[in-house]
């Protein structure tokens, strides 16, 4: 069965410092991986995706994620955090044999950036 | 352009009642998805349409839940004999026609918050 684990319920970072939000996955075959962000009272917003190719994927708002097949991880990173990055972040996966299918989401990590 | 819209934004109903939740996808998107998000959890897949047909309904929890997309655009999620455990935010997403081996990202609506008293 496919699954996603986000081991941290909350991550606290000072503004200007680098941030990492962790994600590991379990899926048969080659995965498609995603990060979404959810701001209060707003819908889920797509940040970035890994389909194939370069293991380092760049996305919106200066975020990037690194796909590590041997560790089955897809951690979200940003070199310098902003207070406005505070939100709920979801890692998600789908098996890479279909071009359109359901996405399996993790339980979410709340990112809090202090000024 | 307009994004995915969902109506109503909030729905309060009593246990045992019937409810309908509507989703308007992004114009031209052929794939439409329904998810359910309970408090403190990530979205949970319910059903996926490609055009008018349900391509995958494996996430529907039981036969009280049903969804339709008769003209390949707007979709309605229908819940019969609602239970308190059905209370959640119901999210709709759409994506463009897949091409080749690419996977098109899903664009989400703001959700409908369903409360069953």
């Amino acid at each position: 069965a496919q699954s996603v684990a986000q081991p941290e319920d909350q991550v606290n970072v000072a503004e200007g410092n680098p941030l990492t939000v962790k994600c590991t996955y379990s899926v048969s075959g080659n995965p498609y991986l995603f990060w979404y962000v959810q701001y209060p009272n707003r819908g889920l917003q797509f940040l970035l995706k890994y389909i194939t190719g370069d293991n380092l994927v760049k996305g919106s708002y200066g975020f990037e994620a690194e796909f590590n097949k041997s560790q089955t991880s897809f951690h979200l990173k940003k070199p310098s955090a902003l207070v406005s990055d505070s939100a709920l972040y979801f890692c998600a996966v789908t098996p890479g044999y279909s071009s359109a299918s359901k996405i399996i989401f993790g339980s979410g990590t709340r990112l809090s950036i202090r000024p | 352009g307009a994004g995915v819209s969902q109506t109503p934004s909030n729905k309060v109903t009593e246990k045992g009642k019937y409810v309908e939740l509507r989703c308007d996808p992004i114009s031209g998107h052929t794939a439409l998805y329904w998810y359910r998000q309970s408090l403190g959890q990530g979205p949970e897949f319910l059903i996926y349409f490609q055009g008018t047909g349900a391509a995958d309904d494996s996430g529907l929890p039981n036969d009280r839940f049903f969804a339709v997309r008769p003209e390949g655009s707007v979709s309605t999620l229908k819940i019969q004999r609602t239970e308190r455990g059905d209370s959640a935010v119901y999210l709709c997403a759409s994506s463009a026609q897949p091409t080749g081996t690419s996977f098109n990202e899903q664009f989400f609506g703001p959700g409908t918050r369903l409360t069953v008293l």
Side-chain angles (χ1 to χ4, degrees):
Chain A
Q2 298 113 37
S3 65
V4 177
Q6 294 183 244
E8 304 153 316
D9 290 336
Q10 177 137 355
V11 171
N12 300 308
V13 177
E15 186 175 31
N17 283 0
L19 68 87
T20 298
V21 183
K22 295 179 181 177
C23 171
T24 58
Y25 65 89
S26 174
V27 69
S28 55
N30 295 317
Y32 294 161
L33 294 155
F34 311 85
W35 277 99
Y36 280 81
V37 59
Q38 190 171 42
Y39 296 99
N41 301 317
R42 291 170 63 179
L44 279 166
Q45 294 181 30
F46 170 79
L47 272 182
L48 50 80
K49 66 181 178 183
Y50 171 82
I51 302 298
T52 187
D54 194 345
N55 289 343
L56 186 63
V57 178
K58 294 188 184 297
S60 306
Y61 311 121
F63 283 94
E64 57 190 27
E66 185 168 12
F67 171 62
N68 188 317
K69 188 172 183 178
S70 63
Q71 297 185 6
T72 62
S73 67
F74 190 57
H75 301 331
L76 181 69
K77 300 181 180 183
K78 187 172 182 180
S80 179
L82 300 173
V83 173
S84 58
D85 293 331
S86 298
L88 189 56
Y89 290 80
F90 292 97
C91 182
V93 66
T94 193
Y97 53 73
S98 173
S99 54
S101 69
K102 65 184 179 186
I103 294 178
I104 308 299
F105 285 86
S107 57
T109 298
R110 187 165 299 281
L111 179 62
S112 178
I113 310 299
R114 61 183 184 275
Chain B
V4 177
S5 62
Q6 294 185 245
T7 54
S9 55
N10 281 283
K11 176 69 177 179
V12 180
T13 191
E14 293 179 345
K15 181 176 177 296
K17 299 291 188 182
Y18 168 83
V19 297
E20 289 189 352
L21 311 179
R22 176 188 168 106
C23 172
D24 279 89
I26 292 172
S27 178
H29 278 190
T30 58
L32 185 146
Y33 308 78
W34 283 100
Y35 294 83
R36 178 169 69 175
Q37 186 175 19
S38 300
L39 193 63
Q41 298 181 22
E44 175 190 22
F45 170 78
L46 295 176
I47 186 171
Y48 148 54
F49 288 89
Q50 187 63 259
T52 61
D56 182 355
D57 65 358
S58 62
L60 294 177
N62 52 59
D63 62 5
R64 295 187 298 104
F65 288 75
F66 189 71
V68 295
R69 195 186 186 199
E71 298 179 355
S73 178
V74 171
S75 176
T76 303
L77 178 65
K78 309 181 180 191
I79 310 174
Q80 298 177 324
R81 305 183 304 279
T82 53
E83 299 177 356
R84 292 193 180 88
D86 299 335
S87 297
V89 176
Y90 289 80
L91 299 170
C92 177
S94 69
S95 66
Q97 174 71 33
T99 56
T101 57
S102 177
F103 190 99
N104 291 322
E105 55 265 31
Q106 298 176 15
F107 294 88
F108 283 79
T112 293
R113 181 176 300 276
L114 175 66
T115 303
V116 182
L117 301 176

